[in-house]
Amino acid sequence: MVVDVPVPEVTLAQVLERPTHEVAAALRSLAAEYTEAGRGFDLREVAGGWRYYTRADCAPLVERFVRDGQQTRLTQAALETLAVVAYRQPVSRARVAAVRGVNSDGVMRTLVARGLVEEAGTDPESQAVLYRTSSYFLERVGLKDLSELPELAPFLPDDVENLEETTK
């Protein structure tokens, strides 16, 4: 219950100082017992090891308990920063700040911590760290890849050139 990856039978046998065949039999017996009793969790053999999983019909309840009704939303600043990264990637923090017009360092750290943005190397000229959206970002927004991002043109004002001149 304390691991987040499947544990091989051999590893469990070493830790328990028992023969591997004995540990394997005990694991299968426990898995069958949990299923038969209809427990809220399963013990499954996956990816070369064993791991506990929440039973599918209990998952919504566990999720609600873990989240405690708190679904974190992104702030306006985070959404703006994420959009700049998504459309201009790979992009440095300085470039994001230039596009937004405000320092975005804290927001970038938050996006990286949430797994929506990741490092993508460094700029050869400035040595600045470059960022891109992650596969988790694509998963959360329901895109197969970045080519599915909507075009920006329909969302821009008709007179972009004059808008840029008046804001200078």
Side-chain angles (χ1 to χ4, degrees), residues 6-25:
V7 180
E9 292 170 358
V10 172
T11 303
L12 291 169
Q14 288 170 344
V15 170
L16 297 170
E17 298 177 348
R18 306 297 304 164
T20 305
H21 72 277
E22 190 177 297
V23 170

Side-chain angles (χ1 to χ4, degrees), residues 84 88 91-104:
V84 172
R88 300 262 178 138
V91 63
S92 67
R93 287 184 186 196
R95 182 68 178 140
V96 171
V99 170
R100 289 193 61 231
V102 295
N103 184 317
S104 300

